[in-house]
Amino acid sequence: MRMMKPLVLAASVALSPVAAIGQVAAPAAAAVAVDPERLAAARALMEQIMPPATRDQVVSSMMASMTQTMLQGLRQAPDLSKALEKNPKARPVFERFMARQQALATEQLKANLPGMLEAMAHAYARRFTLPQLRDMATFFATPTGQVYLVQAPTIMGDPDVAAWMGDLMRTSMNRTPGEIAKLMAELKALDDKGASNGG
């Protein structure tokens, strides 16, 4: 069905940023040992940055904001908009799909949050000296630091950031069909070459 193509493309674009949350780049070199004192300070800093009592709420709010921004951008993609207009019944199906991806990504992030915070503590301990870590802790204890910690996770939902993400999403949606076509053409050329060489 012709309508399915833009929906599938939109789904693949929607899944890629969500999947990226759980991806960890392979280190370029072996991890350098972390100074225990710096690691202890970095772990304490993680407790300040994301207090245990508010972690679930922060993660849910962040994922909801990201998903809504993504959905808004996808809705404005010309091919997807036309497909949804042609079959109004497709819209709730697609929106249920997006809600399911948000729920799954949120659940996955919450389950893996302790590991992420421990990894971040090691990263901070490698990159910042003990005085720098203490300076950060001092800042986060100030009224301005507290406001920053509350507001930082909501930045992705800001109208200007959301508009930028929407533009990025539309660009990606528009580029994807051509890139898939190039890939298919290259794969077909390989098959044709193999056949001409006797397999």
Side-chain angles (χ1 to χ4, degrees):
M1 189 184 299
R2 187 173 294 177
M3 183 196 72
M4 294 301 292
K5 186 176 180 182
L7 289 175
V8 171
L9 289 171
S12 65
V13 171
L15 282 171
S16 55
V18 173
I21 293 170
Q23 291 178 352
V24 178
V32 178
V34 175
D35 175 70
E37 195 174 6
R38 285 166 67 170
L39 181 57
R43 283 173 175 155
L45 191 62
M46 293 305 108
E47 296 290 306
Q48 274 185 285
I49 291 173
M50 194 170 282
T54 61
R55 283 175 190 172
D56 282 0
Q57 181 183 349
V58 168
V59 169
S60 296
S61 174
M62 180 179 68
M63 291 306 302
S65 176
M66 286 176 62
T67 304
Q68 285 306 309
T69 300
M70 193 182 306
L71 187 56
Q72 183 178 353
L74 289 171
R75 281 175 180 152
Q76 294 172 3
D79 288 347
L80 180 60
S81 296
K82 289 177 185 176
L84 295 176
E85 283 173 11
K86 285 182 180 177
N87 187 348
K89 291 181 180 178
R91 185 176 294 278
V93 172
F94 186 71
E95 292 187 356
R96 282 197 300 273
F97 166 82
M98 290 297 297
R100 190 164 63 250
Q101 302 319 305
Q102 177 187 327
L104 289 169
T106 301
E107 181 182 347
Q108 182 181 14
L109 189 53
K110 284 180 181 179
N112 289 279
L113 202 54
M116 183 193 81
L117 291 173
E118 180 65 10
M120 286 180 63
H122 279 76
Y124 271 62
R126 286 193 187 95
R127 284 161 177 76
F128 302 107
T129 65
L130 196 56
Q132 288 169 338
L133 291 166
R134 287 173 177 161
D135 284 347
M136 283 185 253
T138 299
F139 168 69
F140 289 137
T142 66
T144 300
Q146 289 293 302
V147 171
Y148 171 81
L149 291 176
V150 170
Q151 292 298 325
T154 71
I155 296 297
M156 296 305 287
D158 182 86
D160 286 327
V161 178
W164 175 82
M165 285 185 67
D167 289 342
L168 190 67
M169 199 70 59
R170 284 191 294 278
T171 302
S172 181
M173 283 281 292
N174 292 335
R175 184 181 63 240
T176 301
E179 289 301 311
I180 291 175
K182 288 178 187 176
L183 173 63
M184 297 305 293
E186 289 182 26
L187 292 174
K188 185 177 183 304
L190 284 176
D191 285 343
D192 292 345
K193 186 176 180 181
S196 66
N197 291 335

